[in-house]
């Protein structure tokens, strides 16, 4: 989850400690109705909003509207192109649904007169379409980044606040524990409602761009951050913010906001995707502009509704852009979102972005007041070509930040805050003071600590400059078929103990096998780290040793193998042996996206009653086999960025491709190896955006083993035995059902983002989303590695378990398909999977249901 959701959970946890306060907030009214013209015709795409607020929606194709708000005493305003504004005062006695009739008006605009009409919208001969087409055709020519080098100064503010923090709410039982909060109440610049600022960020920097080769750098001059989330790692917070509300280039075909792809009003398909209307003329900062309004042809699509203010001179310069996300869009947590951009021009550059603002009001559920977020960026000081400083391009890292960037004094920030003109800048000091006073209240302090534990999974040894974490907590107790109850205790050091040397260790005990296991890792990082050993970029030398169980045919790519939530299995989890593994690893990551890994490994696979090693010639069992391997790994992930967690890190740029190539070499007799084999694996992963119809997650992997080897050293597809959904895992396969020495594996997931459900009556109110799956593997096993054919005794029979498929010879691809419904209650998905081939294998699941809990926009 990103840090906004973590922040939200913290706030909700405080509220839910007092049920009275929670239900007091649920006194919302469902404001609904229908809008028609004088002839009784429905008026679609009509704006309905509470006066002087951002709360409201747009009518659907039949003129209907509906939204939740506190209505008593508010004024409802209805506006539509070509009609007079309509206002109605709301009170506790107002009856819904409202029936609203708009009367027509006409607008004189230069040589064009627009009057309301029920005629069918047409592109041909429409002056609004001709105007936007002209701008679209010119968008690349007007791009200032066509220059070889560009730089610009940036001052950015980011504010998070509790929305609608009224005096009534301040008197509720929960907030009476914090009477001093009223001293920090502010006013929303969008809705005019009272808000309570809980997080503030300021950034002063210079952006640098190079056209060929395409490179971007940012030199940070100053950075300030304070808020209720500052108990989280700074790198995690920063990466989450940048991924959620990042810079927007409206002149691209697609616009990425809240990790979703929207179709831009300047896209090549804009005239097909949107309807454009010419409205009135007005003066914007001294220049006469025409108001060009636009709405998606389908309001459930990932597009915008908004206005383009374009100069009426021959240049048709886009002066100002104001856009909203349609109310009916299937975007979680977003009650309202506005994107605003302003542009300037000089004699040589007709489109210079000077101001950008993204404002959002977020809610988890309607009965709880939400969060107000506002990100403003002021751009100035554009320079081009020879005037641009080239020094930043000598650095590998994309963000160049000096040690003194944090903690700049008020005199430094004063020069930037003057640009904000009384906006969100300069609120950091107030937020810092408020948070300090909050933590003096035990209720808040312990709630914050609990949320930190839930999301991080680790317990710090101390709060300030913590040298050691205990955890992860979710792996202390788990269950499997061999150990039964598994107990695991351990932890890891942080950079506060030593910024170069990091240690991790666990002690494990299985109650049924009555055996201790352990894991230890010592890693030396050549560059100093801020907190964790795996902060990007990694350049390290690591020595580790593991003595633990090994679950054949079950790989845990995105979680711990002993995660307590995976203990409940659909089949017996007993394909388990022991492994003793010693590794010396060198890792080098580059900002370019290339990384290199070299591993010297000694691995011992030990037989168990579940995983015997019986020679194929019938000469008897083998207790263990040993391999000493050299593995070389190459990885290329251009433009990849990470969200840093304590025990791992997660890529936050899935839309960029990731390529990996690994080759492992071992020779019999060398350093104790029992077999001479070589193993090559090649993989590709990427999220392919396909707005407006959703996106695809694609994984392709191919591999081959050269040489003769027993099944513990061969390729075994990844099977999921739990009832929870796991990525890149076969949901209806059993462990060791197939054993191969060469394979091609694929996993394609199509996230439709409500493409069908959003257009289905009744269903669209639930905001459910469809997802489709297709997974498969096609491989083979050469005769020398098949124990049914080779009787030399160098390889082993497969484990003899007649109750399940084991070592099935592959004669055709294994394929399973699936369909799922996501966004159930905004936090759960249910997925159905069906096996399409190998249906007659013994004791296999023909189909299965898998659930997952996750929050996403």
């Amino acid at each position: 989850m990103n840090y906004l959701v973590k922040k939200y959970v913290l706030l909700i946890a405080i509220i839910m400690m007092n049920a009275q306060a929670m239900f007091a907030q649920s006194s919302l009214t469902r404001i609904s109705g229908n809008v028609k013209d004088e002839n009784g015709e429905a008026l679609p795409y009509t704006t309905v909003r509470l006066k002087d607020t951002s709360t409201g929606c747009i009518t659907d194709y039949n003129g209907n509207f509906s939204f939740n708000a506190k209505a008593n005493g508010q004024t409802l305003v209805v506006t539509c192109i070509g009609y007079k504004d309509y206002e109605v005062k709301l009170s506790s006695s107002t009856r819904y649904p409202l029936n609203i009739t708009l009367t027509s008006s006409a607008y004189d605009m230069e040589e064009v007169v627009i009057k309301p009409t029920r005629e069918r919208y047409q592109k041909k001969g429409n002056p609004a379409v001709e105007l936007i087409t002209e701008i679209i055709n010119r968008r690349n020519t007007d791009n200032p980044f066509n220059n070889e080098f560009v730089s610009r100064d940036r001052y950015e503010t980011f504010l998070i606040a509790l929305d609608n923090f009224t005096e009534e709410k301040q008197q509720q039982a929960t907030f009476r524990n914090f009477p001093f909060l009223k001293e920090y109440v502010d006013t929303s610049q969008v809705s005019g409602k009272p808000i309570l600022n809980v997080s503030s960020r300021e950034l002063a920097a210079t952006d640098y761009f190079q056209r060929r080769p395409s490179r971007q750098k940012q030199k940070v001059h100053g950075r300030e951050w304070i808020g209720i989330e500052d108990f989280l790692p700074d790198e995690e917070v920063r990466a989450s913010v940048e991924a959620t509300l990042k810079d927007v280039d409206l002149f691209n075909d697609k616009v990425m906001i809240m990790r979703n792809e929207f179709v831009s009003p300047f896209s090549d398909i804009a005239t097909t995707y949107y309807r454009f209307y010419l409205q009135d003329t007005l003066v914007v900062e001294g220049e006469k502009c025409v108001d060009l309004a636009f709405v998606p042809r389908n309001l459930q699509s990932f597009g915008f509704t908004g206005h383009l203010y374009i100069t009426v001179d021959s240049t048709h310069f886009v002066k100002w852009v104001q856009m909203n996300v349609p109310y009916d869009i299937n975007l979680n947590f977003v009650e309202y979102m506005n994107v605003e951009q302003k542009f300037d021009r000089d004699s040589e550059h007709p489109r210079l972005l000077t101001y950008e603002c993204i404002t959002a009001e977020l809610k988890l559920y309607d009965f709880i007041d939400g969060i107000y977020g506002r990100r403003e960026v002021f751009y100035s000081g554009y320079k081009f070509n020879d005037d641009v400083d080239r020094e930043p391009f000598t650095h590998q890292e994309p963000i160049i930040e000096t040690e003194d960037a944090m903690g700049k004094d008020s005199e430094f920030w004063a020069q930037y805050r003057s640009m904000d003109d009384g906006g969100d800048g300069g609120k950091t000091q107030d937020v810092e003071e408020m948070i300090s006073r909050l933590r003096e209240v035990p209720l808040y302090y312990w709630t914050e600590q609990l949320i930190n534990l839930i999301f991080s999974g680790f317990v710090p040894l101390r709060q300030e400059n913590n040298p050691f974490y205990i955890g992860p907590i979710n792996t202390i107790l788990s269950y499997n078929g061999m150990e039964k109850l598994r107990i695991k205790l351990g932890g890891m050091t942080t950079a506060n103990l030593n910024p170069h040397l990091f240690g991790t260790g666990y002690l494990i005990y299985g109650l049924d096998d009555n055996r201790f296991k352990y894991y230890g890792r010592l890693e030396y990082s050549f560059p100093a780290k801020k907190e964790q050993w795996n902060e990007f970029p990694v350049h390290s030398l690591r020595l580790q040793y593991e003595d633990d169980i090994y679950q054949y045919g079950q790989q845990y790519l995105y979680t711990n193998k002993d995660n307590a939530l995976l203990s409940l299995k659909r089949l017996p989890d007993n394909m388990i042996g022991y492994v003793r593994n010693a590794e010396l690893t060198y890792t080098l990551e580059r900002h370019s996206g290339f990384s290199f890994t070299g591993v010297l490994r000694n691995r011992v696979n030990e037989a168990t009653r579940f995983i015997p090693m019986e020679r194929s010639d019938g000469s008897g069992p083998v207790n263990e086999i040993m391999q000493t391997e050299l593995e070389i790994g190459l990885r290329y992930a251009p433009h990849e960025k990470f969200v840093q967690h304590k025990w791992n890190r997660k890529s936050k740029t899935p839309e960029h491709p990731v390529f990996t190539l690994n080759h492992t070499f071992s020779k019999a007799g060398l350093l104790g190896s029992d077999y001479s084999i070589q193993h090559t694996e090649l993989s590709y992963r990427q999220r392919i955006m396909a707005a407006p119809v959703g996106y695809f997650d694609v994984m392709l992997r191919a591999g081959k083993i050269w040489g003769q080897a027993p099944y513990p050293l061969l390729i075994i597809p990844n099977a999921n035995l739990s009832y929870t959904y796991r990525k890149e895992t076969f949901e209806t396969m059993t462990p060791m059902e197939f054993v191969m020495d060469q394979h091609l594996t694929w996993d394609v997931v199509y996230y439709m983002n409500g493409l069908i459900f959003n257009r289905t009556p009744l269903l669209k109110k639930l905001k459910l989303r469809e997802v489709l799956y297709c997974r498969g593997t096609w491989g083979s096993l050469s005769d020398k590695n098949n124990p049914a054919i080779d009787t030399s005794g160098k390889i082993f029979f497969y484990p003899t378990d007649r109750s399940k498929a084991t070592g099935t010879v592959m004669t055709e691809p294994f394929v399973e398909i699936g369909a799922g419904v996501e966004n159930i209650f905004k936090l759960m998905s249910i997925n159905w999977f069906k096996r399409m081939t190998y249906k007659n294998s013994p004791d296999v699941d023909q189909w299965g249901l898998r659930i997952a809990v996750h929050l996403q926009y």
Side-chain angles (χ1 to χ4, degrees), residues 6 9-10 13 231 447-456:
K6 295 179 183 180
V9 172
L10 173 59
F231 60 88
T447 301
E448 185 179 76
Q449 300 308 308
L450 177 62
I451 298 300
N452 187 22
L453 173 62
I454 291 173
F455 283 104
S456 72

Side-chain angles (χ1 to χ4, degrees), residues 62-86:
N62 296 314
N64 297 315
F65 66 89
S66 178
F67 63 95
N68 288 330
K70 291 189 176 181
N72 192 19
Q74 299 274 13
T75 299
L76 188 71
V77 180
V78 183
T79 59
C80 183
I81 301 168
Y83 295 85
K84 296 179 181 179
D85 291 353
Y86 178 93

Side-chain angles (χ1 to χ4, degrees), residues 13-61:
I14 295 173
I15 293 172
M16 292 186 70
M17 289 179 181
N18 188 296
Q20 176 185 350
M22 178 177 173
F23 286 105
Q25 294 179 39
S26 64
S27 56
L28 302 177
T29 301
R30 173 63 68 175
I31 301 172
S32 62
N34 180 268
V35 182
K36 298 180 179 179
D37 65 9
E38 298 161 300
N39 299 318
E41 297 286 342
L43 290 178
Y45 316 130
T46 298
T47 301
V48 182
R49 196 166 296 282
L50 297 180
K51 192 172 185 178
D52 299 326
T53 77
S54 59
T55 304
C57 65
I58 293 178
T59 60
D60 62 17
Y61 188 76

Side-chain angles (χ1 to χ4, degrees), residues 181-252:
L181 291 180
K182 62 184 178 182
E183 302 173 21
Y184 303 97
V185 173
D186 200 357
T187 302
S188 166
Q189 292 191 7
V190 176
S191 65
K193 293 185 291 186
I195 58 176
L196 180 67
N197 299 326
V198 295
S199 179
S200 176
R201 173 196 184 189
E202 289 181 278
L203 172 69
T206 302
D207 301 329
Y208 296 87
F209 304 86
Q210 182 178 354
R211 185 182 179 191
R212 289 175 297 197
S214 178
R215 293 192 294 172
Q216 296 185 23
K217 305 288 182 180
Q218 184 180 87
K219 181 176 286 188
V220 176
H221 309 305
R223 187 192 301 275
E224 285 288 340
W225 189 297
I226 189 68
I228 66 170
E229 80 291 340
D230 65 0
F231 60 88
L232 301 171
D234 179 67
E235 291 296 323
E236 178 180 349
V237 173
R238 184 188 308 174
S240 297
V241 170
E242 291 171 353
T244 303
L245 295 175
K246 59 184 182 179
D247 293 349
V248 172
D249 186 354
L250 295 181
F251 289 88
N252 280 334

Side-chain angles (χ1 to χ4, degrees), residues 312-472:
V312 296
D313 58 27
S314 60
T315 64
H316 290 160
F317 163 60
V318 179
K319 182 77 174 178
W320 187 21
V321 180
Q322 280 269 16
M323 308 189 309
N324 298 326
V325 170
Y327 178 78
D328 291 332
I329 197 171
N330 194 340
L331 188 61
N332 276 345
F333 319 126
V334 178
E335 281 290 299
Y336 168 80
M337 186 169 69
N338 174 268
V339 179
E340 178 183 4
Q341 289 189 343
K342 293 182 180 179
F343 297 87
D344 203 350
R345 54 182 168 173
D346 58 27
S347 58
E348 298 181 9
H349 305 97
R351 192 178 76 224
L352 300 176
L353 179 64
T354 59
Y355 175 74
E356 177 178 276
C357 180
I358 301 179
T359 304
E361 293 183 0
L362 309 177
K363 276 188 178 182
L364 187 60
Y365 295 110
D366 287 342
F367 57 79
I368 300 176
D369 281 331
I371 288 178
Y372 165 92
R374 184 177 178 89
R375 175 184 179 269
E376 290 185 287
V377 187
F378 302 84
Y379 298 103
S380 61
Y382 278 88
K383 296 180 181 178
F384 301 93
N385 299 326
D386 293 340
D387 295 330
V388 175
D389 182 12
R390 310 296 170 83
E391 190 274 337
F393 296 105
T394 64
H395 296 261
Q396 287 190 16
E397 59 269 27
I399 299 178
I400 307 156
E401 185 169 342
T402 58
E403 292 292 335
D404 64 346
M406 293 291 292
K408 292 287 187 179
D409 57 24
S410 57
E411 184 178 347
F412 170 87
W413 289 112
Q415 60 182 319
Y416 293 98
R417 290 170 180 169
S418 60
M419 303 172 63
D420 202 359
D421 192 24
D424 294 333
K427 295 182 171 34
T428 304
Q429 185 173 355
D430 289 343
V431 174
E432 184 175 12
E433 180 181 293
M434 183 191 71
I435 296 301
S436 178
R437 297 177 68 178
L438 271 174
R439 288 182 178 146
E440 294 174 1
V441 180
L443 172 65
Y444 178 88
Y445 175 83
W446 289 110
T447 301
E448 185 179 76
Q449 300 308 308
L450 177 62
I451 298 300
N452 187 22
L453 173 62
I454 291 173
F455 283 104
S456 72
F458 287 83
V459 178
L461 198 62
R462 63 171 182 250
Q463 293 303 313
E464 298 294 332
N465 299 317
N466 174 48
F468 188 83
Y469 281 104
I470 301 170

Side-chain angles (χ1 to χ4, degrees), residues 718-760:
N718 193 14
N720 181 17
L721 289 188
S722 72
Y723 291 99
T724 59
Y725 168 75
R726 283 166 51 196
K727 292 176 60 177
E728 299 181 20
T729 308
F730 293 105
E731 305 290 349
T732 61
M733 187 184 288
T734 63
M736 294 193 66
E737 182 174 348
F738 302 99
V739 179
M740 305 173 287
D741 54 20
Q742 60 182 354
H743 75 104
L744 173 64
T745 300
W746 66 91
D747 186 338
V748 179
V749 186
Y750 175 27
Y751 295 91
M752 301 174 68
N753 274 353
L755 182 65
I756 298 174
F757 291 161
N758 284 354
R759 293 160 175 80
T760 305

Side-chain angles (χ1 to χ4, degrees), residues 106 365 536 555 563 688 789:
Y365 295 110
F536 181 84
Q555 304 169 39
N563 188 320
I688 301 174
I789 298 175

